[in-house]
RNA sequence: GGGUCGUUAGCUCAGCGGUAGAGCACUCGGCUUUUAACCGAUUGGUCCUGAGUUCGAAUCUCAGACGACCCA
């Protein structure tokens, strides 16, 4: 409604007329609202405490009754009530004297301040008869006049689309949303602190790459004008972090944004955040122990416990976590022992006999094992479970298993039915690595557009020599979903990708 | 990619073939202990878009846009 905006613009002009503009330059609060609530918890109902306080924030609700009014002011720490008394405000000269200032200070604050405005107030403290700690205001200052209405004060912002498109409104009216992003920040900083304390260095690697690598995924394509060079956005940080290990950094990580040109769902956003961690002279079991300790420590810091509730289910992240091989889990779920299949046809027939789908792209026993796992096991791994020892076909960057032919030293961590982490003993044999990537390239040529490419410089780095190394990747968004009890990845990404609203969409390029 | 559901006032929603509705917000009046304040009055609409059926469409049909959820 533009009437409302017009009205507020008129109030902005009125503010100008009485000697202060609608946009303040700054304000020095003496306390956060939460600090006041805490420090004066002992103040009795109906009592006053004559100490000077100043607070700033957004006016969320207004209740005006004749010569007395109550506003609720909210700053980042929370709410406090403003106690606005005509007798007090009209005696206190809230504004520079103005010859034609007909409205009183009380009339000004009650007519020129709307819900949604940012104001600063000064005064003393009073707990009302009903027990609400309040700032008894003696002067006030407009800091920002809001021209838009707030969402419904009782129902809030229920339209999920609007919550994502106008996250600022969601944050203003939804304490739960604020808490989610506060916890996300806490989780990320706790994770960095944990690693930094153990001698890991965070080193940033390129987002723009000419050979995308390190994962099975389709990249976003872009172009560098000056070099006239086609580039892709990174789909993983793996290959560059390994180059750093070759260079002598024995403990490195990078926590940052990854881009994959894939569909959108409650578990996928095209840009998401991962952390990859590499440690020289250890293997995937070393990384498994690191994963348990790291995630449990982060959970403890963010949630205050390692037993948490996720979407109504209790999840216990207290180490140690269950470990099982993929073969064991598939056998438990289906009765099929994939170690007994010597060719794809036998495995496919056995799967079909159990009613499982057999996709054409799964062209080997190992790939069918992974299919069977995804179809029958994955969704039921609610408590944290390390799934160990993957087939070599699906893991071109992982080292061959030391004792199990056809497998690699790799685990994935599942929590709440979702893949949350992935780790290997890294493949450091350059000749083996070349063969594996060339096999991937062949798949790509055959039509698998998620297959990986050969990165010659990466292979060259391996020829220079990389120490035996354990590597780990954790999906930060999915971990934060768990720690904030969020059902959708969009609830933990401040500004998730959405289609532009119709009308603002550019014409498709020719 | 397939299916289901949704889109009506700034916000939250009702209306489901016969003049476009409610609560909150806004505006005006009243009110010195409220906290979803209250009482009274007023204001506010591309019923997502387009086509069709009909004497008549927010309502029925078809197509499209956007979103949510489920499945692949």
């Amino acid at each position: 409604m533009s009437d409302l905006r017009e009205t507020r613009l008129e109030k902005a002009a009125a503010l100008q007329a009485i000697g202060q503009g609608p946009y303040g330059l700054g304000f020095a609060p003496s306390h956060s609202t939460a600090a006041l609530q805490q420090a004066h918890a002992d103040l009795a109902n109906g009592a006053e405490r004559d100490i000077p306080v100043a607070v700033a924030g957004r006016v969320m609700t207004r209740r005006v009754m004749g010569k007395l009014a109550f506003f609720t002011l909210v700053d980042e720490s929370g709410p406090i009530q403003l106690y606005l008394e005509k007798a007090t405000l009209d005696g206190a000269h809230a504004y520079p004297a103005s010859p034609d200032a007909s409205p009183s200070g009380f009339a000004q604050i009650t007519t020129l301040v709307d819900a949604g405005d940012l104001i600063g107030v000064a005064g003393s403290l009073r707990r009302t008869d009903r027990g609400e700690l309040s700032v008894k205001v003696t002067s006030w200052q407009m800091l920002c006049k809001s021209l838009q209405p707030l969402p419904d004060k009782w129902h809030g912002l229920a339209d999920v689309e609007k919550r994502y498109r106008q996250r600022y409104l969601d944050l203003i009216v939804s304490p739960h949303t604020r808490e989610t992003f506060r916890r996300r920040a806490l989780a990320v900083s706790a994770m960095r602190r944990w690693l930094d304390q153990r001698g890991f260095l965070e080193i940033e690697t390129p987002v723009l790459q000419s050979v995308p690598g390190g994962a099975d995924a389709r990249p976003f394509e872009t172009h560098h004008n000056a070099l006239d060079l086609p580039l892709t956005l990174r789909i993983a940080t793996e290959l560059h972090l390994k180059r750093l290990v070759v260079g002598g950094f024995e403990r490195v990580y990078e926590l940052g944004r990854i881009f994959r040109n894939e569909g959108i769902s409650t578990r996928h956003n095209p840009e998401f955040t991962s952390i990859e961690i590499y440690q020289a002279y250890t293997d995937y079991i070393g990384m498994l122990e690191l994963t348990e300790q790291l995630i449990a420590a982060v959970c403890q810091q963010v949630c205050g416990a390692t037993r948490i509730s996720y979407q109504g289910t209790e999840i216990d992240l207290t180490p140690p976590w269950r470990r099982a091989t993929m073969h064991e889990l598939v056998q438990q779920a289906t009765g099929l022992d994939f170690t007994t299949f010597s060719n794809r046809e036998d495995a496919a027939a056995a799967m079909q006999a159990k009613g499982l789908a057999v996709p054409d792209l799964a062209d080997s026993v190992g790939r069918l094992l992974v299919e069977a796992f995804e179809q029958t096991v994955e969704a039921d791994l609610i408590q944290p479970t390390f799934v160990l020892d993957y087939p070599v076909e699906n893991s071109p960057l992982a080292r061959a298993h030391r004792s199990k032919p056809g497998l690699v030293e790799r685990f994935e961590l599942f929590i709440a039915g979702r893949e949350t982490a992935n780790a290997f003993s890294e493949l450091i044999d350059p000749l083996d690595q070349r063969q594996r990537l060339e096999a991937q390239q062949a798949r790509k040529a055959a039509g698998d557009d998620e297959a990986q490419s050969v990165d010659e410089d990466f292979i060259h780095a391996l020829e220079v020599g990389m120490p035996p190394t354990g590597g780990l990747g954790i999906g930060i968004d999915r971990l934060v979903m768990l720690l904030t009890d969020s059902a959708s990845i969009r609830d933990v990404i401040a500004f998730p990708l959405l289609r532009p609203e119709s009308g603002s969409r550019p014409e498709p390029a020719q």
Side-chain angles (χ1 to χ4, degrees), chain A residues 89-354:
Chain A
L89 277 158
D90 287 355
H93 301 296
Y95 293 103
S98 169
D100 55 351
S102 48
S104 68
F106 180 78
Q108 286 164 357
I109 192 169
T110 53
T111 57
L112 298 182
V113 175
D114 291 302
D117 291 352
L118 294 160
I119 65 172
V121 299
S124 57
L125 290 173
R126 176 191 180 95
R127 189 175 297 279
T128 62
D129 297 346
R130 299 294 180 87
E132 190 76 40
L133 184 69
S134 309
V135 174
K136 184 176 176 185
V137 176
T138 53
S139 70
W140 67 279
Q141 184 181 346
M142 179 63 71
L143 298 176
C144 180
K145 182 73 200 164
S146 171
L147 302 180
Q148 297 286 341
L150 286 178
D152 190 280
K153 65 183 173 187
W154 182 243
H155 298 94
L157 204 53
D159 179 344
V160 281
E161 182 180 354
K162 185 154 267 182
R163 285 181 43 218
Y164 297 144
R165 288 195 195 277
Q166 299 186 31
R167 183 68 91 182
Y168 39 88
L169 279 182
D170 185 29
L171 288 166
I172 288 169
V173 300
S174 311
H176 183 260
T177 304
R178 286 198 297 276
E179 177 62 11
T180 295
F181 289 104
R182 199 186 66 80
R183 284 187 179 212
R184 180 174 181 129
L186 204 57
V188 166
S189 76
M191 191 171 280
R192 284 197 162 107
R193 201 172 326 118
W194 193 93
L195 288 163
D196 295 349
Q197 283 167 353
R198 284 159 183 78
F200 286 87
L201 288 182
E202 180 167 23
I203 300 184
E204 291 159 282
T205 65
V207 170
L208 294 173
Q209 306 181 336
S210 36
V211 184
D216 303 332
R218 281 192 300 196
F220 283 92
E221 294 169 355
T222 184
H223 185 261
H224 186 266
N225 291 344
L227 297 181
D228 189 20
L229 185 66
L231 291 169
T232 59
L233 304 189
R234 67 182 177 193
I235 55 175
T237 46
E238 174 148 359
L239 302 187
H240 283 93
L241 288 170
K242 285 181 179 174
R243 285 171 168 93
L244 293 169
V245 178
V246 170
F249 289 114
E250 295 173 3
R251 295 181 173 213
V252 292
Y253 73 96
E254 181 175 10
L255 196 161
R257 204 70 57 82
I258 300 295
F259 307 86
R260 294 185 182 173
N261 206 337
E262 294 168 352
I264 295 176
S265 77
T266 49
R267 294 177 293 279
H268 299 87
N269 194 62
E271 55 178 304
F272 62 98
T273 302
S274 83
I275 185 170
E276 286 192 38
I277 305 169
Y278 293 84
Q279 180 177 340
Y281 309 116
T282 187
D283 60 12
Y284 74 137
I285 299 302
M287 298 317 278
L288 182 151
E289 287 159 0
L290 184 153
T291 303
E292 270 177 355
Q293 296 302 320
L294 171 60
I295 291 180
V298 169
C299 181
Q300 180 69 44
Q301 291 232 354
V302 174
C303 304
T306 52
R307 291 173 70 91
I308 58 175
S309 171
Y310 182 72
Q311 305 290 296
T313 302
E314 178 103 347
I315 293 188
D316 189 354
L317 294 173
T318 312
W321 301 341
R322 180 188 184 199
R323 306 176 189 187
T325 67
M326 181 175 280
H327 279 90
E328 289 165 358
L329 291 168
V330 169
Q331 188 165 9
Q332 282 168 21
T334 66
L336 300 179
D337 180 358
F338 272 72
T339 59
T340 63
F341 299 129
S342 56
N343 58 66
R344 180 185 186 275
E345 287 62 42
D346 293 351
M351 280 176 66
Q352 275 162 341
K354 296 284 181 186

